């Protein structure tokens, strides 16, 4: 198991109520790994959109 997979699993179990988790490249906004999500939550789209939010800080 890669360290990204381990980190995602730890995040999902460590954050109460988490629907999904993603490791995202800050420069490109591309998700390098995702876990969870579902029909109403596309983590790759959320990763790209939220990267812009983080950059604005």
């Amino acid at each position: 198991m890669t360290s990204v997979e381990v980190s995602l699993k730890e995040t999902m179990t460590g954050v109460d109520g988490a629907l999904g988790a993603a490791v995202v490249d800050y420069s490109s906004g591309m998700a390098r790994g995702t876990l969870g999500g579902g029909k109403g939550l596309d983590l790759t789209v959320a990763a790209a959109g939220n990267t812009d939010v983080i950059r604005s800080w």
Side-chain angles (χ1 to χ4, degrees):
M1 192 176 311
T2 67
S3 59
V4 171
E5 290 174 301
V6 170
S7 296
L8 291 169
K9 287 181 180 182
E10 288 176 356
T11 300
M12 288 295 290
T13 58
V15 178
D16 290 335
L19 300 175
V23 174
V24 183
D25 178 64
Y26 178 82
S27 299
S28 68
M30 293 188 65
R32 298 297 182 195
T34 62
L35 181 64
K39 232 179 189 182
L41 178 59
D42 184 341
L43 291 176
T44 57
V45 172
N50 285 317
T51 299
D52 287 336
V53 173
I54 297 300
R55 284 187 198 133
S56 71
W57 286 359

